[in-house]
Amino acid sequence: MKKEFLNRIRAEINLDAAERNLSSLKGFLYDGFTKPACVIKADGYGHGDLPLMNLYQDMGVDFFCVSNIEEALRLRNGGCKGDIFILGWSSPEDADVLAENDIITAVVSRENAEAFSQKASKPIRVHIKVDTGMGRVGLNADDAEECAELIAEIAAMPNISIDGIFTHFAAADSRLDDDITFTEEQKQKFLAAVNAAERLGVKFNQIHFLNSAATVYCYDSRSTLARLGILLYGLRPAYAMNIPVALQPVMSLKTVVSQVKTIHKGDSVSYGRTYIAKDDEVIATVPCGYADGYPRQLSGNCAAIIKGKRAKGIGRICMDQMVFNVTGIDGVSEGDEVILIGSDGNESITADDLAEACGTIGYEIVCGISKRVPRIYLGGKQSGNDN
Ligand SMILES: *Cc1c(COP(=O)(O)O)cnc(C)c1O
């Protein structure tokens, strides 16, 4: 039988899973109060921003969040018809580019607002960022009245058009009493500032504070947008979090066996000779390494799914290769598929599992899958199945 050889590596992006995830998450949002704002910064958390933007846009989403102007322009030039919002600081030098492309930016301070007002030759739409406890950027909201007066001042600046106001929770993914209280306090501070600003005559089209974690843990219909990120991708804000809805990881990472060989007791594998065979062992090398975004930190502490069975990673993970012990898995040969993230039958390895094993979060794993890994889109309209 002639064997078909797969490509070296690929990240499969399951658009049907992405579609189901968004549909499930919409179930948490009261119709007419809160609409989903899909967060597709960092190239859609490594999944590819435009295919996801197209999918969500077809599903009726008309508000997208990114983290900088380059990402915003990619969406606009890629056919985004809805609102595009830059969640953090952007340069006042870009004021007119923002206006010309109808991109909304956050405004994070009085100085930032003044600079935008000075640089803009036409009105730009902004959302006021309020810092209620994250401690990064934003107007201080410790005193609601003071905060509101500053917002009113910003509203009166030439060429600044306030479209919305928002804050960001620091610990909405935690169920610890202290963290629950902290999140509630953040929300109260925020709403107090919003109410005070409204009393001064400032109008907001959007008032928002929900991220993924808050949407499923402490939904509140006073947030007009739910800024959904990680859950859209089927991953968890925190490993310990129980998600009260079935979500499916959207990305799988697949590579192939490049060589199979038998090694003997005392033989070593890979750099530094950290792995020494205790017996005769069958090992499979794969052409994926840390340059593909697979964390080197997982050397000796990782697994792959090969022929439906779990194989342990052995020795150091190299830039472009890594090795698995396939002793006891029948008939492994060059070209066989190797699942590094994904599932097959009862076996499953998620980006969250990898993250947990190396002390980070799933976000960093998927964002870190590097550019040299081609993204292959399955399902949705992109598959070409309906032509
Ligand atoms: C990234 C980001 C989000 C999305 O966070 P998730 O945890 O992925 O849902 C929401 N709001 C802001 C301000 C962000 O920067």
Side-chain angles (χ1 to χ4, degrees):
M1 194 176 72
K2 218 161 104 204
K3 183 155 179 170
E4 296 234 6
F5 287 89
L6 298 164
N7 288 330
R8 178 183 78 85
I9 194 166
R10 62 201 187 279
E12 289 179 358
I13 309 300
N14 183 342
L15 293 172
D16 292 335
E19 181 175 345
R20 284 192 296 270
N21 290 347
L22 175 59
S23 298
S24 305
L25 290 166
K26 275 184 176 168
F28 284 88
L29 311 175
Y30 287 162
D31 266 353
F33 287 100
T34 306
K35 66 176 183 176
C38 292
V39 182
I40 50 177
K41 59 191 178 190
D43 200 20
Y45 292 37
H47 294 63
D49 51 6
L50 294 183
L52 291 173
M53 184 271 287
N54 282 319
L55 171 78
Y56 300 141
Q57 192 158 261
D58 286 348
M59 293 175 73
V61 172
D62 63 0
F63 201 104
F64 295 91
C65 303
V66 293
S67 74
N68 58 55
I69 190 166
E70 288 78 17
E71 293 175 355
L73 288 171
R74 272 178 57 80
L75 295 192
R76 189 57 86 217
N77 297 333
C80 183
K81 298 180 195 73
D83 283 327
I84 302 173
F85 172 48
I86 298 174
L87 293 157
W89 181 87
S90 45
S91 172
E93 297 294 337
D94 290 327
D96 283 346
V97 183
L98 294 171
E100 280 151 21
N101 291 278
D102 194 18
I103 293 164
I104 308 169
T105 185
V107 156
V108 302
S109 64
R110 178 201 303 275
E111 295 72 17
N112 187 222
E114 281 168 350
F116 268 118
S117 180
Q118 262 172 26
K119 297 281 179 183
S121 62
K122 52 192 84 135
I124 53 166
R125 292 165 75 199
V126 306
H127 285 201
I128 302 291
K129 175 70 189 284
V130 181
D131 182 10
T132 53
M134 184 63 144
R136 302 190 304 197
V137 291
L139 276 51
N140 185 306
D142 288 341
D143 183 323
E145 299 302 327
E146 250 175 51
C147 185
E149 276 160 31
L150 177 50
I151 293 167
E153 265 181 62
I154 294 172
M157 291 177 187
N159 286 330
I160 299 282
S161 162
I162 294 185
D163 182 71
I165 185 163
F166 74 114
T167 196
H168 195 37
F169 292 150
D173 58 341
S174 163
R175 294 286 80 190
L176 297 177
D177 286 346
D178 271 3
D179 290 330
I180 293 171
T181 307
F182 192 80
T183 302
E184 187 56 34
E185 284 168 2
Q186 280 197 275
K187 185 164 61 177
Q188 293 314 329
K189 262 192 202 175
F190 175 69
L191 292 172
V194 172
N195 291 338
E198 285 177 335
R199 281 196 299 274
L200 296 179
V202 183
K203 293 208 166 44
F204 305 105
N205 294 325
Q206 305 293 351
I207 296 168
H208 50 112
F209 48 83
L210 298 171
N211 57 4
S212 285
T215 298
V216 298
Y217 270 174
C218 48
Y219 172 74
D220 185 320
S221 62
R222 284 173 290 185
S223 186
T224 63
L225 298 174
R227 303 185 306 260
L228 298 171
I230 198 71
L231 292 178
L232 288 177
Y233 307 98
L235 299 175
R236 282 174 273 174
Y239 199 65
M241 214 176 147
N242 271 320
I243 307 298
V245 63
L247 299 173
Q248 190 189 338
V250 172
M251 183 194 288
S252 302
L253 181 65
K254 298 182 177 177
T255 179
V256 295
V257 172
S258 52
Q259 192 176 359
V260 179
K261 64 173 85 170
T262 300
I263 58 172
H264 307 288
K265 183 174 176 179
D267 287 348
S268 64
V269 174
S270 193
Y271 288 118
R273 305 180 63 238
T274 57
Y275 184 82
I276 310 281
K278 293 185 194 67
D279 210 334
D280 284 358
E281 287 172 5
V282 185
I283 63 169
T285 303
V286 306
C288 165
Y290 60 78
D292 297 295
Y294 196 95
R296 181 176 177 276
Q297 241 183 309
L298 288 177
S299 295
N301 185 26
C302 60
I305 305 169
I306 304 175
K307 291 189 172 299
K309 301 238 166 62
R310 190 171 279 258
K312 273 180 72 80
I314 56 176
R316 292 245 173 94
I317 293 165
C318 311
M319 186 183 289
D320 313 302
Q321 305 191 56
M322 54 197 289
V323 184
F324 293 92
N325 188 339
V326 294
T327 310
I329 305 178
D330 278 347
V332 178
S333 64
E334 179 187 346
D336 283 346
E337 184 175 81
V338 175
I339 301 173
L340 296 173
I341 298 173
S343 59
D344 185 4
N346 293 329
E347 293 291 351
S348 138
I349 299 169
T350 67
D352 286 332
D353 294 334
L354 259 57
E356 181 65 8
C358 62
T360 183
I361 48 178
Y363 300 71
E364 191 180 359
I365 301 293
V366 287
C367 285
I369 299 302
S370 68
K371 247 175 137 156
R372 77 180 196 184
V373 178
R375 272 63 171 172
I376 309 294
Y377 295 90
L378 307 177
K381 285 193 199 155
Q382 323 273 332
S383 67
N385 291 343
D386 22 83
N387 306 333

